[in-house]
Amino acid sequence: RNPTSQSEYAPIPARRELPPLCHMCGKELTSEEHINREIRFDQAKLEQVATILSAKGHNNVALLGKAGTGKTALVSALAAEVAGGRYKTLMGRRIVEIDIDRLLNNVHTPAERGTRLANLLTEAERERIILFIDEGHRLYGSGESNSLANIMKPFLTRDKLQVILATTLNEYNCFIAQDPAFRRRFEAVIHKEPNADETLEILKYVIRKRHPDVTAEDEAMKELVSLGRRYVLDRNNPDKSLALLDTVVAWEANRFG
């Protein structure tokens, strides 16, 4: 029942300033300043995540996939859709990406760390902000009993806080899966590496948005994807193909302007 054209989307209300801690250690992905329109994603995957977030309970998401497969980009694409009013149950909601390093900056004791995180989560609850934490396994630190994950558990139990975590499947199994009380609050969404055809479609979309003055033939784009899959073995698509695309465009620009 969602509208299908941009003109049918309901306008979003005027946005309030982020609360202090969210502003200090995060950025609002649903704000005009940070909305990324260079991302192309399967609508079915966006619908899956949006449906989980719209549920009354068990409405937190754990995005699992290899590094470079676009987990963070998926959340950015979701934020753009939410800001545009696509999902009625998420209308007016804000998604804020939290930087754990900035959150713990100048915090010297476990008590201070716990207080700061609790205050951040209280802000998110009060303002109905959806928190996005990349590399979510870092919430466990070195496995200490007063880890950030343990401090977060009581807030998740109240079903007022909503969180999106992104991590790899290996790190999920090593940390989050070993903590049943934390794990059952999250619905796992597997984010697979796109195949060659899907990567090609992503590149075609990105080059139109990111490099509108560049013309690229389909055969050249196919060759770029093929070479990346054959020779760049320490990274995953679409990250490595996008990096190759930007490198080729920069190289051509320096040669021919």
Side-chain angles (χ1 to χ4, degrees):
R1 290 196 289 262
N2 282 327
T4 55
S5 65
Q6 189 69 31
S7 61
E8 293 176 314
Y9 291 175
I12 59 176
R15 297 203 174 275
R16 303 181 301 277
E17 289 290 331
L18 285 177
L21 278 174
C22 287
H23 179 76
M24 182 190 76
C25 60
K27 66 177 180 181
E28 184 184 347
L29 301 180
T30 43
S31 68
E32 189 63 33
E33 178 185 2
H34 292 112
I35 288 178
N36 189 344
R37 294 185 172 87
E38 296 179 357
I39 302 172
R40 180 186 184 277
F41 260 98
D42 179 9
Q43 285 295 327
K45 185 67 69 175
L46 293 176
E47 293 282 351
Q48 181 183 5
V49 177
T51 299
I52 295 171
L53 293 174
S54 301
K56 294 297 184 182
H58 296 86
N59 52 8
N60 303 293
V61 179
L63 280 176
L64 312 179
K66 296 178 181 178
T69 55
K71 299 185 296 296
T72 301
L74 172 62
V75 178
S76 294
L78 174 70
E81 297 282 74
V82 170
R86 179 170 178 82
Y87 305 109
K88 292 182 179 180
T89 52
L90 299 176
M91 192 81 70
R93 300 293 298 276
R94 293 182 285 180
I95 300 176
V96 176
E97 181 177 3
I98 297 300
D99 186 327
I100 293 180
D101 292 323
R102 289 166 61 184
L103 173 66
L104 301 181
N105 187 36
N106 293 325
V107 173
H108 306 292
T109 67
E112 290 176 331
R113 179 175 60 185
T115 299
R116 179 171 288 187
L117 178 62
N119 289 338
L120 171 70
L121 301 180
T122 300
E123 287 182 354
E125 277 188 342
R126 185 178 64 246
E127 299 289 336
R128 300 187 69 235
I129 292 171
I130 300 171
L131 300 180
F132 169 51
I133 302 175
D134 200 3
E135 298 183 346
H137 59 278
R138 294 184 59 197
L139 292 172
Y140 284 88
S142 302
E144 60 271 16
S145 59
N146 58 348
S147 65
L148 298 180
N150 284 327
I151 296 170
M152 188 180 288
K153 283 179 191 176
F155 290 86
L156 293 172
T157 303
R158 296 203 293 259
D159 287 330
K160 294 181 179 180
L161 176 70
Q162 283 191 270
V163 179
I164 303 173
L165 299 180
T167 187
T168 66
L169 187 57
N170 287 339
E171 287 160 335
Y172 176 84
N173 289 332
C174 288
F175 295 95
I176 298 174
Q178 304 300 319
D179 186 350
F182 193 81
R183 180 194 61 204
R184 66 172 172 261
R185 296 293 169 184
F186 289 85
E187 294 295 321
V189 175
I190 304 297
H191 188 62
K192 296 181 179 179
E193 180 180 10
N195 60 33
D197 291 337
E198 292 168 338
T199 301
L200 181 61
E201 290 302 313
I202 291 172
L203 290 187
K204 289 179 179 179
Y205 183 86
V206 168
I207 198 169
R208 289 197 303 268
K209 294 288 186 178
R210 189 179 296 178
H211 307 290
D213 56 336
V214 172
T215 301
E217 296 179 357
D218 286 352
E219 288 303 317
M221 301 285 273
K222 289 180 182 178
E223 186 68 11
L224 187 148
V225 174
S226 176
L227 291 171
R229 289 170 64 88
R230 190 182 311 167
Y231 294 111
V232 185
L233 304 180
D234 59 340
R235 298 172 72 174
N236 300 297
N237 273 323
D239 179 63
K240 63 183 178 183
S241 291
L242 289 171
L244 285 172
L245 174 66
D246 289 336
T247 301
V248 171
V249 171
W251 182 71
E252 284 289 326
N254 281 331
R255 293 177 68 213
F256 301 113

